[in-house]
Structures are given as C-alpha cells and as structure tokens.
Amino acid sequence: TVGVIIAAGVGTRPNTKWCEDHHLETLDANVTCQLAIAGICEKLGLHLTLIGTAGFYHYDDQHKLGDEKNGYVEADKPNHECNYYYQMRVYLEKLLNETGAIKNILNLRALFPFDHKVTSSSLIGKLLKFQKINSIKTSMTVLDDLVPLALDMINDHETGHVNWVCRGTCSNGDLLRFYQKIVDSSININEVQLTQQQSKEMGNSAAYIVPKRMIDKFGEEKIPLVEDSIKRLMETILKEKGT
C-alpha cells in the first residue's frame, strides 16, 4: 500500500573495485533491473524508493575541503566518475531524468551509510580491523537517525533526488575516536590524513554534501549534525555491548 524500496545492488562486498571486472553484472543490478522495476511500479501506481549514492561527488576548486559554505546540493552535476560503479549510478540517474521516471521515484543518495550494528561488513567493523586508515572529512549517512526521516518521505510520496546525509562532515579517524572515547578506550588509531587531491587520485569518495531537500522539508533543526548522530550511535553500541 505504500510502495517498493530497492536497496539491491552489487559491488559492496568486498568493495566497488569488484565492479571493474564485472561490468555486465554491475550494469544489470544497478541500472537495467532498477529501470525495469521502476516501469513496473509506474504501471501499478506504486511509489518507488531507490537507495542510491552521493559517492560520485568529490571536493574540487569550487567545493574545497574544509569549506562548509559550499557543499554539493541535489541539483549539482556529479564530478567524480572514477570507477565503473559510480559511472553506472550516474548513468541511472541520467536515464531516470531523461525518461521522466524520476517523477514517481524517491532516490536517496547515501554516503558511507552505517548503523549501530558492528559487523565484519559494516563501516565501523571494517575500520576497527584495519591496521591503518585513510582519513579525510566527508559527509556521512548515520542510518539510526536518517531512516526515520526516509520513512516520512516515503509515506509522503516524495520524489526526486535527495542527499540522504547528516549535516556537517566527519572522517574515519573522527569516527574511531568517538568509538575509542565512548565504547572501547583500548583501541589503537593509526590514520593517514589525506589531502583533497590525494583522496581524489586514490578514487575515494569524499565531499561535503548538503541535505538541502531534507532541510527544506523538515527544517534544519530536524536534520542531525553528523557528530551528534555518531555520539548517540556510540552510546547505543556501548549499551548493546553491555547486554
């Protein structure tokens, strides 16, 4: 009665590098199948939600690292098609726009999504296993706080592209420091601070993404600052570890 949600895709295990050697599977899962489902939903009169990505943005001369007055909003064109996965996500959005299918679709653009479940495949779980981490400030999607807002948008049948991220930026090192401070003081953090150019050349995703559509809908005070959201999440992790 509400609609359909597509969180499917390929390439995230172990990472998007898998897509470089599996073009057909990547195209099928991330473009053609999603367009086919969009067509079915339109025929049935069902609202469709796609869990997409904002990873096709990166800091540049107009959107510099550390400048949180000039972030990417939903209308900005992607500038970081550094691998086949991002190329196909950009292609999907292009086709959704050109065909008019986007009028029935809510496309939630996530970036580094994670929740309070620390598993081997979660962002926090992966960072805890690495001997050394690369670190650069970027927007992030803290699911514990942003899923409820997504459900409100779905129930309201919102459509179009939405930057589904918290306000502000955080780095991998910052994330582990919150974990160290709140959850486990015994962990060691060995990080390499990346410059804007180093990060882009390595094919990383890193950018200040503005959740403009969500701010317009809910008001700025309802969109959590990423550091506040992470603190709450770490408290939840600590509580679950205690039980």
Side-chain angles (χ1 to χ4, degrees):
T1 58
V2 176
V4 175
I5 299 173
I6 298 180
V10 294
T12 58
R13 293 186 182 184
N15 53 42
T16 56
K17 292 179 181 178
W18 180 91
C19 300
E20 299 302 314
D21 300 318
H22 299 83
H23 283 192
L24 185 59
E25 296 96 324
T26 304
L27 174 67
D28 194 30
N30 291 307
V31 181
T32 54
C33 280
Q34 301 205 16
L35 287 173
I37 294 171
I40 293 169
C41 287
E42 185 171 9
K43 288 179 181 178
L44 296 176
L46 291 171
H47 180 266
L48 175 61
T49 301
L50 301 180
I51 308 299
T53 183
F56 42 57
Y57 291 115
H58 199 284
Y59 295 113
D60 61 15
D61 291 340
Q62 287 73 47
H63 309 84
K64 293 183 178 180
L65 173 63
D67 180 4
E68 297 204 355
K69 292 183 179 179
N70 293 296
Y72 291 98
V73 298
E74 286 84 357
D76 288 324
K77 291 183 178 179
N79 69 338
H80 190 51
E81 299 178 46
C82 61
N83 59 40
Y84 195 71
Y85 173 78
Y86 291 135
Q87 290 167 21
M88 291 302 99
R89 300 308 296 199
V90 171
Y91 189 40
L92 173 65
E93 286 200 5
K94 181 174 183 289
L95 291 173
L96 293 176
N97 294 335
E98 289 178 351
T99 61
I102 193 64
K103 69 182 185 296
N104 188 53
I105 294 171
L106 174 64
N107 178 38
L108 298 174
R109 293 169 166 178
L111 191 60
F112 298 106
F114 61 96
D115 63 11
H116 64 278
K117 298 295 184 182
V118 181
T119 68
S120 61
S121 61
S122 70
L123 176 60
I124 297 173
K126 288 177 181 177
L127 292 176
L128 289 170
K129 290 189 297 182
F130 293 153
Q131 296 297 314
K132 181 174 67 176
I133 60 169
N134 292 325
S135 208
I136 185 171
K137 295 280 189 181
T138 183
S139 293
M140 293 183 173
T141 300
V142 183
L143 295 168
D144 292 55
D145 282 341
L146 294 185
V147 164
L149 298 180
L151 294 176
D152 286 342
M153 287 187 283
I154 291 169
N155 281 319
D156 291 343
H157 283 195
E158 292 282 351
T159 60
H161 308 292
V162 173
N163 289 341
W164 194 38
V165 295
C166 297
R167 290 187 290 125
T169 60
C170 187
S171 71
N172 287 337
D174 295 332
L175 188 57
L176 285 185
R177 276 184 285 276
F178 279 119
Y179 188 91
Q180 185 184 56
K181 181 179 180 180
I182 298 172
V183 182
D184 184 356
S185 61
S186 69
I187 69 165
N188 294 314
I189 302 171
N190 181 15
E191 65 178 320
V192 176
Q193 295 286 347
L194 298 180
T195 66
Q196 175 177 309
Q197 189 60 29
Q198 285 173 329
S199 176
K200 191 165 188 176
E201 289 175 355
M202 292 170 69
N204 296 329
S205 297
Y208 172 44
I209 309 295
V210 181
K212 185 177 184 304
R213 284 281 309 276
M214 289 199 296
I215 291 172
D216 290 345
K217 179 176 177 61
F218 299 107
E220 188 172 71
E221 69 283 354
K222 293 288 183 68
I223 313 303
L225 286 166
V226 66
E227 291 195 354
D228 293 340
S229 195
I230 290 171
K231 288 176 186 176
R232 287 191 291 271
L233 178 136
M234 294 302 173
E235 294 289 351
T236 301
I237 294 174
L238 179 63
K239 184 177 179 180
E240 291 207 346
K241 282 174 71 72
T243 58

